[in-house]
Amino acid sequence: QVQLVESGGGLVEAGGSLRLSCIASGSISSINAMGWYRQVPGKQREWVATISHGGRANYADSVKGRFTISGATPGNTVYLQMNSLKPEDTAVYYCTAYIGEFRPKYWGQGTQVTVSS
């Protein structure tokens, strides 16, 4: 029903910035919110940020004050501006879409973010 494609990952020095983008397609009218998760090998995926259809944003404590989620029409395109990056931010970042639930229903393929010391 919904397909998500992320882009913008890469390699950056600690203290640098990256901007991730996600484009949703398919039955986007059913999307209530979009967000980002990340995963390090051997660890569970962790929630990073969410933005509602009305533009309300929430962040994990680990990224609050450094990351900003925004949407050019949430449900179609969502961004994650990542500033003051730390090596512990290194992970595969996944775009997610919510359909009336507190858990994501749809996932993108992931984009690698690597922060060097």
Side-chain angles (χ1 to χ4, degrees), residues 32 51-56 74:
N32 301 123
I51 185 167
S52 72
H53 191 70
R56 181 181 299 176

Side-chain angles (χ1 to χ4, degrees), residues 13-14 17-18 28 30 37-38 44-46 53 69-70 75 83 85 96 98 102-104 109 111-113:
E13 291 274 321
S17 298
L18 284 174
I28 60 175
S30 64
Y37 275 68
R38 65 187 182 185
Q44 293 186 9
R45 289 182 181 179
E46 64 172 339
H53 191 70
I69 187 170
S70 62
N83 298 327
L85 283 162
T96 63
Y98 298 74
F102 68 92
R103 298 176 180 177
Q109 82 286 354
T111 185
Q112 177 70 47
V113 172

Side-chain angles (χ1 to χ4, degrees), residues 11-59:
L11 175 64
V12 66
E13 291 274 321
S17 298
L18 284 174
R19 189 192 192 204
L20 306 183
S21 300
C22 175
I23 300 175
S25 61
S27 301
I28 60 175
S29 63
S30 64
I31 297 174
N32 301 123
M34 297 181 68
W36 296 89
Y37 275 68
R38 65 187 182 185
Q39 186 171 30
V40 177
K43 295 180 61 179
Q44 293 186 9
R45 289 182 181 179
E46 64 172 339
W47 169 72
V48 175
T50 304
I51 185 167
S52 72
H53 191 70
R56 181 181 299 176
N58 295 99
Y59 301 92

Side-chain angles (χ1 to χ4, degrees), residues 37-95:
Y37 275 68
R38 65 187 182 185
Q39 186 171 30
V40 177
K43 295 180 61 179
Q44 293 186 9
R45 289 182 181 179
E46 64 172 339
W47 169 72
V48 175
T50 304
I51 185 167
S52 72
H53 191 70
R56 181 181 299 176
N58 295 99
Y59 301 92
D61 288 342
S62 59
V63 306
K64 193 172 298 182
R66 300 187 297 119
F67 291 9
T68 302
I69 187 170
S70 62
T73 309
N76 182 216
T77 305
V78 66
Y79 305 97
L80 187 68
Q81 179 66 46
M82 310 164 70
N83 298 327
S84 301
L85 283 162
K86 306 173 181 179
E88 52 262 45
D89 294 318
T90 295
V92 176
Y93 284 71
Y94 296 89
C95 180

